[in-house]
C-alpha cells in the first residue's frame, strides 16, 4: 500500500497538563489539548498525542506555547461513549516556539465516499468529504474534510476513488447531540479546505512553500 501525504504544523498554547493515554511496545503516549487561535478571535482546541520516549525529558506544561509537527490520525471509537470517529494529531516533533500561531495541513489521499453538497440557511454552499490517507503497514486514516463556496462546488464534482491533494486547517466545532432523553455537547474535528491541487503538485512547490516560508 503506497503511503500518501499527511503533514500538519500547529503552533498554539498547551491548554491542559498532558495525561497518559496508553502505552505501545514500552512507549508511553501522552495526550493534551492545544489551543490554536483563529483570525476571527475564536480558537480551535485540538487533541495532541505525543510519544514520550525519554522519561527524563519534561512533558509540555499548561500555558506553554509550542510548535507541533506531525500527522492527522483517526480511529474508530467502539466504546459507545462520545464520537464514533476520533481525530488526533500524532506529534513527530514538539518544541517550544516564539513564532506566530499556525494551523496548516497538507493531505493527499483518495475519496472513500461520495461528496455531499448542501447549503446553509444563509445560502452558502458547503461540501462534506471523507478522505482516506494511507499509512504504512496496510492502515489508513479516514479524515472528514469540508469545503465552502466555489471550492465546495468544485469538490462536489469529484467521485469516490478520485485522488485529492489539499491544503487546509484542522478545526474543532461543538454541537449538541440527543442521546436517549439527554442532550450532550460534543466536539467534532474536520479539515477546512483552503485549496486543492492535482496529484503531485505538493511535491513540485515544496513543503516549506506550502507553509508560507
Amino acid at each position: 500500500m503506497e503511503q500518501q501525504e499527511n503533514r500538519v504544523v500547529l503552533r498554539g498554547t498547551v491548554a491542559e497538563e498532558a495525561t497518559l493515554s496508553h502505552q505501545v511496545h514500552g512507549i508511553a503516549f501522552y495526550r493534551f489539548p492545544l489551543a490554536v487561535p483563529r483570525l476571527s478571535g475564536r480558537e480551535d482546541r485540538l487533541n495532541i498525542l505525543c510519544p514520550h520516549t525519554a522519561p527524563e525529558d519534561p512533558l509540555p506544561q499548561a500555558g506553554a506555547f509550542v510548535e507541533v509537527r506531525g500527522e492527522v490520525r483517526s480511529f474508530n471509537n467502539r466504546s459507545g461513549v462520545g464520537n464514533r470517529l476520533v481525530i488526533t494529531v500524532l506529534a513527530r516533533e514538539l518544541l517550544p516556539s516564539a513564532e506566530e500561531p499556525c494551523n496548516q495541513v497538507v493531505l493527499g489521499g483518495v475519496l472513500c465516499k461520495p461528496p455531499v453538497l448542501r447549503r446553509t440557511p444563509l445560502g452558502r454552499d458547503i461540501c462534506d468529504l471523507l478522505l482516506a490517507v494511507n499509512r504504512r503497514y496496510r492502515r489508513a486514516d479516514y479524515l472528514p474534510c469540508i469545503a465552502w463556496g466555489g471550492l465546495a462546488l468544485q469538490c462536489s464534482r469529484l467521485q469516490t476513488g478520485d485522488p485529492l491533494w489539499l491544503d487546509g486547517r484542522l478545526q474543532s466545532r461543538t454541537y449538541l447531540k440527543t442521546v436517549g432523553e439527554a442532550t450532550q455537547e460534543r466536539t467534532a474535528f474536520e479539515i477546512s479546505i483552503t485549496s486543492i491541487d492535482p496529484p503531485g503538485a505538493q511535491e513540485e512547490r515544496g513543503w516549506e512553500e506550502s507553509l508560507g516560508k
Side-chain angles (χ1 to χ4, degrees), residues 42 172-176 185-188:
R42 298 177 59 191
S172 61
R173 172 176 54 84
T174 58
Y175 65 98
L176 297 177
E185 183 176 272
R186 294 188 178 180
T187 303

Side-chain angles (χ1 to χ4, degrees), residues 20-141:
L20 180 64
S21 173
H22 62 278
Q23 293 189 359
V24 177
H25 303 304
I27 299 175
F29 287 80
Y30 283 77
R31 182 187 303 271
F32 64 88
L34 187 73
V36 182
R38 300 186 190 182
L39 293 176
S40 65
R42 298 177 59 191
E43 68 177 22
D44 294 297
R45 283 208 169 200
L46 309 173
N47 296 317
I48 310 298
L49 191 65
C50 61
H52 195 225
T53 55
E56 66 275 10
D57 291 342
L59 290 164
Q61 299 297 304
F65 193 85
V66 299
E67 177 174 292
V68 176
R69 287 179 174 251
E71 304 166 7
V72 187
R73 291 290 178 89
S74 71
F75 72 89
N76 289 321
N77 177 13
R78 305 184 189 280
S79 70
V81 178
N83 295 350
R84 293 178 61 185
L85 186 67
V86 178
I87 305 295
T88 60
V89 172
L90 176 63
R92 298 296 189 183
E93 296 179 65
L94 177 60
L95 298 169
S97 178
E99 297 188 51
E100 293 294 320
C102 178
N103 185 338
Q104 295 192 333
V105 178
V106 175
L107 296 176
V110 297
L111 290 183
C112 55
K113 292 177 65 176
V116 177
L117 183 66
R118 52 194 174 91
R119 182 164 291 182
T120 70
L122 296 178
R124 193 175 183 193
D125 292 313
I126 308 176
C127 187
D128 297 299
L129 308 102
L130 189 63
L131 190 69
V133 181
N134 289 339
R135 300 186 206 171
R136 298 183 181 92
Y137 312 119
R138 299 183 180 276
R139 298 192 64 181
D141 293 291

Side-chain angles (χ1 to χ4, degrees), residues 162-184:
D162 281 348
L164 178 63
W165 291 71
L166 63 87
D167 290 299
R169 62 189 312 278
L170 179 60
Q171 65 183 22
S172 61
R173 172 176 54 84
T174 58
Y175 65 98
L176 297 177
K177 182 177 178 64
T178 301
V179 180
E181 297 181 354
T183 300
Q184 301 176 355

Side-chain angles (χ1 to χ4, degrees), residues 129 145-147 151 155 164 166-169 191-196:
L129 308 102
C145 305
I146 187 168
L151 192 58
C155 289
L164 178 63
L166 63 87
D167 290 299
R169 62 189 312 278
I191 290 90
S192 179
I193 302 173
T194 55
S195 65
I196 61 175

